[in-house]
Amino acid sequence: MNIDSVDFFYASMPEVTLEADGSQDALLVRVTAGGHIGWGECEASPLTSIAAFVTPRSHGVCQPVADSVLGERIDSPADILRIARNVGRNSMDLLQAGHTWSGIEIALWDLLGKAKEQPVWQLLGYERTYAKLPYASMLMGDTPQGTLDRARLARANGFRAVKFGWGSYGTGTAADDADHVAAAREGLGDDAQLLIDAGQIWGDDVEAAAARLEALEKAHATWLEEPFLPHAYVAHSQLAGRARTVGIAGGEGAHTVHMATNLIDYGGVRFIQVDAARIGGIGASKAVADHAVQRGVTYVNHTFTSHLALSASMQPYAGLADHRICEYPVEPKPVALAISSNHILLDENGEVRAPDAPGLGIDVDLAGLVPYLRHVEISIDHERVYTSPDVPHRVSEVV
Amino acid sequence: MNIDSVDFFYASMPEVTLEADGSQDALLVRVTAGGHIGWGECEASPLTSIAAFVTPRSHGVCQPVADSVLGERIDSPADILRIARNVGRNSMDLLQAGHTWSGIEIALWDLLGKAKEQPVWQLLGYERTYAKLPYASMLMGDTPQGTLDRARLARANGFRAVKFGWGSYGTGTAADDADHVAAAREGLGDDAQLLIDAGQIWGDDVEAAAARLEALEKAHATWLEEPFLPHAYVAHSQLAGRARTVGIAGGEGAHTVHMATNLIDYGGVRFIQVDAARIGGIGASKAVADHAVQRGVTYVNHTFTSHLALSASMQPYAGLADHRICEYPVEPKPVALAISSNHILLDENGEVRAPDAPGLGIDVDLAGLVPYLRHVEISIDHERVYTSPDVPHRVSEVV
């Protein structure tokens, strides 16, 4: 079969705030081929990613993503890899192309799984799935007491691993940060995993990050995430060399496979966190997972948005028993939940699994998304080059 | 003074082909502040870079570039660095932001130089400029004879250094490539520098690239450029370890300072090639130049477009006497030449220098560009979020 269409659905909350909460908008991708439908999601900046799909060609290796995708053959995972290579080559100088392609790639796996009646993890070569321990991602409180209260709430909600980050963390003194970390540990009790996310706050300042290590190790934090900019491998490696019990984590900013493998090979991270909706999709993520296994580094998904994105991000390591921890969007905005009619829920053990249903196993609910959809039009020289799909019409088509 | 406006002018040839010729379109940026005007250029994909400037916010660290730029104070180079950091942080998850910001950053240096009546290289701390040896960038011929003819033509036009690349290079056998390289050397004679550009053709396949080393060294090629993908440091380093006389070059794909310094520190390149219009502008390029000097690596500009981009790309190493070679757009399309009324020409020694006039020293000719301008309109929910500036009106304002 061949790719007949690629449609983008841009959804957002009525008001998007300055919170570090990536679930406030979404760019959903629908691909059709041979009468099958696949769904994916790009992370983030919907308008920019749409533009990268339809932009006029700049030259031979700065082509719109559409030109490497539409009409292409799609019968097997090898076809996805072939198209990925073409996008990489033909859109070499189009920086945003990686993010746009990621959502399309995810949709192609979903489509292929549905066509072959297999879950994506099986198409990736895994024979079974393993339960993952979801961690709740939360913003650091405004005060240590606030952080402590949130930690208690997360435990009460059944989470055995909790991540705190952003907010004031890293912006004040190391002593302030130590108070937050100690409060988080107190609120969690001794038997839960504590993860801390610095959100790139120290740029490449190794000393600033190193000043936080003692408090993190005293609180038995599992990892310190994104202390630095994603390409700052020298800084990552120096910090990793000075840490004893706490692992350095990172990788969500990777938009190529090499960016993530470099963070392992040169940055010395102990946890590699991959966002399938940025790195080039599920195939690219699986390549990183393979490399992580080889290097004895733990693979973790990065997901802060919908359960479609969650399923996509779980597939690449669904069959890895020893890679246990999983980022779980615990307080997503309504738009992120509205994307699908089913969700990946915690089981009686407080654990989650990649779905067994064909494809990604997530039922996209376009009708439920209607209140959040935004209509985009782009014209060049007064000729329309992009118009958002007509949704009521399309919904009836889909149903 | 404060930044009053940022305007984008998207210009292109009537027909943009699949040639690997980046001069077929351009995104010109005009910034105004305190009654002064600065000009810059983004490379490439104009529509996508415009979208990254105006896109609705996705969350706190996925903001449109505009939100970190408009209204900001701009009195000194330190202000440019401050805004660069804000763009980096506030648009962390907006992949295209680096390309969009690059053109704005260049325009800010031009504006600051004009306001202070100093050339940009002086603002960067250089006391004088040094003449650079321009190399002509040419596509490899369809046959070795074609390559030989082009090499002779380049010599006849006064060039003492010539680069060949793209076309069939790397796509056939190593023997075919060897014929082209030998033909290029024959056409150039013994007293000109020969440079070869592989355009990332081997991905991260070290053996494929290594199979070309013997022919390159036999022809005394100065460098082999971009054998691999820009993040493939392991492959770069392995190839560099196997090369004897030929240096590995790369860096044009860098969209952050660390990407370029990593190619030096981990990739073992002997020549670091920076496109100021991609890496984050002139300040980011200067940071790479400083690192290159420290590491004993030769800094080279990457420029395939206008003389505005050429001036911008020469500033970061204008004052470095030992970094001699300079990419010079030898066959640009008419749109690239139309951008300015003056150009950086070869002197009697066949050499070029960064201009001494204030700012970038390039007079942008908006009126001359009118035939090439493309009009962009973007609407979200039927509300216009972007319209290309009204040019005839603006021209009269500028003049």
Side-chain angles (χ1 to χ4, degrees), chain B residues 134-318:
Chain B
Y135 73 80
S137 249
M138 317 192 89
L139 296 179
M140 198 74 87
D142 290 333
T143 61
Q145 183 63 45
T147 298
L148 188 146
D149 293 343
R150 286 183 185 209
R152 285 199 173 130
L153 181 69
R155 284 310 309 264
N157 288 336
F159 286 96
R160 287 181 277 152
V162 182
K163 186 170 87 184
F164 289 96
W166 296 82
S168 66
Y169 191 74
T171 63
T173 66
D176 289 341
D177 290 345
D179 290 344
H180 274 283
V181 169
R185 170 53 74 199
E186 186 184 337
L188 290 183
D190 286 340
D191 56 343
Q193 288 196 52
L194 169 62
L195 319 165
I196 298 292
D197 184 357
Q200 305 182 16
I201 195 72
W202 299 300
D204 59 2
D205 182 348
V206 177
E207 292 308 319
R212 272 73 181 183
L213 288 177
E214 193 185 327
L216 292 166
E217 301 200 331
K218 202 171 150 197
H220 306 295
T222 302
W223 76 49
L224 172 62
E225 176 175 337
E226 280 213 312
F228 306 119
L229 295 165
H231 285 110
Y233 306 131
V234 174
H236 278 89
S237 153
Q238 288 175 356
L239 186 67
R242 290 167 70 165
R244 287 164 306 173
T245 58
V246 67
I248 307 304
E252 69 178 83
H255 59 88
T256 71
V257 170
H258 286 121
M259 265 187 83
T261 57
N262 287 337
L263 207 49
I264 294 172
D265 296 345
Y266 298 118
V269 298
R270 213 182 288 169
F271 300 89
I272 187 75
Q273 305 170 291
V274 175
D275 195 319
R278 286 184 191 150
I279 199 168
I282 292 171
S285 303
K286 174 63 161 56
V288 177
D290 291 346
H291 190 83
V293 168
Q294 219 177 45
R295 292 287 194 275
V297 161
T298 300
Y299 184 98
V300 192
N301 67 310
H302 173 264
T303 310
F304 217 85
T305 55
S306 73
H307 283 237
L308 179 69
L310 178 60
S311 175
S313 76
M314 292 180 72
Q315 305 294 333
Y317 77 124

Side-chain angles (χ1 to χ4, degrees), chain B residues 1-4 32-36 71-76 79 82 108 111-116:
Chain B
M1 53 195 178
N2 292 71
I3 298 175
D4 294 319
T32 63
H36 297 283
E72 287 297 308
R73 194 181 65 247
I74 173 73
D75 292 321
S76 73
D79 286 322
R82 175 181 48 78
L108 288 172
L111 185 147
L112 213 55
K114 287 169 178 167
K116 296 183 183 295

Side-chain angles (χ1 to χ4, degrees), chain A residues 35-375:
Chain A
H36 298 283
I37 294 176
W39 291 95
E41 200 175 325
C42 303
E43 172 70 14
S45 194
L47 176 66
T48 317
S49 287
I50 290 170
F53 190 76
V54 301
T55 184
R57 172 201 295 168
S58 282
H59 53 82
V61 293
C62 193
Q63 298 184 53
V65 175
D67 288 6
S68 304
V69 171
L70 294 173
E72 287 298 308
R73 193 182 66 250
I74 172 73
D75 291 321
S76 72
D79 286 322
I80 300 181
L81 186 61
R82 176 181 47 80
I83 303 171
R85 285 195 180 129
N86 287 343
V87 171
R89 175 114 201 122
N90 300 336
S91 299
M92 184 190 289
D93 289 346
L94 206 183
L95 192 47
Q96 189 74 16
H99 281 194
T100 303
W101 164 244
S102 294
I104 299 168
E105 203 259 15
I106 291 168
L108 288 172
W109 283 102
D110 186 40
L111 185 146
L112 213 53
K114 287 169 177 167
K116 295 182 183 294
E117 298 187 337
Q118 287 182 37
V120 170
W121 52 262
Q122 205 170 335
L123 293 177
L124 289 172
Y126 291 127
E127 290 180 3
R128 54 163 294 190
T129 62
Y130 290 89
K132 305 290 179 193
L133 180 68
Y135 73 80
S137 249
M138 318 191 88
L139 297 178
M140 199 73 90
D142 290 333
T143 61
Q145 182 62 45
T147 299
L148 187 147
D149 293 344
R150 285 182 186 211
R152 285 199 175 132
L153 181 68
R155 285 311 309 263
N157 287 336
F159 285 96
R160 288 180 277 151
V162 182
K163 186 170 87 183
F164 289 96
W166 298 83
S168 67
Y169 191 76
T171 63
T173 67
D176 289 341
D177 290 345
D179 289 345
H180 274 283
V181 169
R185 171 51 75 198
E186 187 184 336
L188 289 184
D190 286 340
D191 57 343
Q193 287 196 53
L194 170 62
L195 319 164
I196 298 291
D197 183 358
Q200 305 182 16
I201 195 73
W202 299 300
D204 59 3
D205 182 348
V206 177
E207 293 308 320
R212 271 75 181 183
L213 288 178
E214 193 185 326
L216 291 165
E217 301 200 330
K218 202 170 151 199
H220 306 293
T222 302
W223 76 49
L224 172 62
E225 174 176 338
E226 280 213 309
F228 306 120
L229 295 166
H231 285 109
Y233 306 130
V234 175
H236 278 89
S237 154
Q238 289 176 355
L239 186 66
R242 289 166 70 166
R244 285 164 306 173
T245 59
V246 67
I248 308 303
E252 69 179 82
H255 59 88
T256 71
V257 171
H258 286 122
M259 263 187 85
T261 57
N262 287 337
L263 207 48
I264 294 172
D265 296 344
Y266 298 119
V269 298
R270 213 180 287 168
F271 299 90
I272 187 74
Q273 306 170 290
V274 175
D275 196 319
R278 285 184 191 150
I279 199 168
I282 292 172
S285 304
K286 174 63 162 52
V288 177
D290 291 345
H291 191 82
V293 168
Q294 219 177 44
R295 293 288 195 273
V297 160
T298 300
Y299 184 98
V300 192
N301 66 309
H302 173 263
T303 311
F304 216 85
T305 55
S306 73
H307 284 238
L308 179 70
L310 178 61
S311 176
S313 76
M314 291 180 75
Q315 306 293 333
Y317 78 124
L320 300 179
D322 300 336
H323 301 241
R324 279 274 294 159
I325 205 164
C326 167
E327 183 166 39
Y328 186 85
V330 68
E331 292 171 322
K333 291 282 186 287
V335 61
L337 289 175
I339 284 174
S340 60
S341 54
N342 64 336
H343 298 92
I344 297 172
L345 303 176
L346 275 61
D347 65 16
E348 62 279 8
N349 297 323
E351 296 175 331
V352 290
R353 273 174 194 269
D356 286 330
L360 296 174
I362 298 293
D363 302 318
V364 169
D365 179 19
L366 210 44
L369 206 57
V370 166
Y372 303 100
L373 288 176
R374 306 194 67 174
H375 188 78

